[in-house]
């Protein structure tokens, strides 16, 4: 595959993301686990500032991880255009707490000319418990 963006992502496997164009992704501090065209996996350690008053991971942070990880997945295609999220539907199944490690796994289900449908699953570290699953549609913009 002759795709500079794809090769850039592959070079970061095993490393913490610190230089993303997304300041929010830099704040999330994910570690790149795997890269395939249309599929990415990240690992996150839950920090105190990611939790709610009950000490479990805040649902908004889960939603943000899903949105950011899916956005990063589009980079694997080497697509020059920027995409914006149209909707984000999330089902929450279980919780995580401070210092837990979670995994996000994304997949592009359908990449049309202007609309992309994608999903993201959030798992505990050993992938025995599905914490959340999100689906989204993104719109291709004229921004490059």
């Amino acid at each position: 595959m002759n795709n500079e963006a794809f090769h850039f992502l592959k070079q970061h496997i095993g490393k913490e993301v610190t230089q993303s164009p997304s300041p929010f992704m830099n704040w999330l501090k994910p570690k790149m686990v795997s890269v395939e065209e249309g599929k990415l996996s990240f690992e996150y350690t839950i920090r105190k500032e990611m939790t709610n008053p009950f000490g479990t991971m805040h649902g908004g942070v889960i939603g943000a991880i899903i949105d950011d990880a899916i956005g990063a997945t589009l980079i694997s295609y080497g697509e020059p255009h920027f995409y914006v999220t149209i909707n984000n539907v999330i089902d929450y199944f279980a919780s995580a707490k401070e210092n837990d490690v979670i995994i996000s796994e994304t997949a592009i289900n359908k990449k049309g000319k202007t609309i992309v449908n994608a999903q993201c699953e959030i798992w505990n570290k050993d992938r025995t418990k599905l914490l959340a699953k999100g689906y989204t549609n993104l719109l291709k913009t004229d921004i490059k």
Side-chain angles (χ1 to χ4, degrees), residues 66-67 70 85-91 93 107 109 116-121 132-138:
I66 289 170
D67 188 53
I70 287 172
T85 302
I86 298 171
N87 65 349
N88 201 357
V89 177
I90 304 166
D91 295 315
F93 304 114
N109 298 324
V116 172
N117 177 268
Q119 69 181 44
C120 179
E121 296 179 342
K133 186 170 187 173
Y135 294 92
T136 190
N137 290 293
L138 301 104

Side-chain angles (χ1 to χ4, degrees), residues 43-67:
E43 182 178 280
Y44 307 79
T45 300
I46 306 307
R47 303 185 313 273
K48 184 172 182 68
E49 62 266 29
M50 297 170 141
T51 62
N52 61 29
F54 300 107
T56 59
M57 189 171 176
H58 193 288
V61 174
I62 291 172
I65 286 173
I66 289 170
D67 188 53

Side-chain angles (χ1 to χ4, degrees), residues 22-85:
S22 167
F24 192 73
M25 180 170 270
N26 293 328
W27 180 83
L28 289 169
K29 299 182 182 183
K31 182 170 77 172
M32 182 78 68
V33 175
S34 67
V35 176
E36 296 177 42
E37 188 176 65
K39 293 182 179 185
L40 293 182
S41 182
F42 293 100
E43 182 178 280
Y44 307 79
T45 300
I46 306 307
R47 303 185 313 273
K48 184 172 182 68
E49 62 266 29
M50 297 170 141
T51 62
N52 61 29
F54 300 107
T56 59
M57 189 171 176
H58 193 288
V61 174
I62 291 172
I65 286 173
I66 289 170
D67 188 53
D68 227 40
I70 287 172
T73 304
L74 287 170
I75 294 169
S76 70
Y77 288 105
E79 175 74 42
H81 292 272
F82 183 74
Y83 286 76
V84 294
T85 302

Side-chain angles (χ1 to χ4, degrees), residues 112-132:
K113 290 181 181 181
T114 57
I115 301 284
V116 172
N117 177 268
Q119 69 181 44
C120 179
E121 296 179 342
I122 307 291
W123 292 87
N124 64 338
K125 173 126 176 126
D126 62 5
R127 291 182 173 89
T128 58
K129 184 168 49 169
L130 180 62
L131 305 179

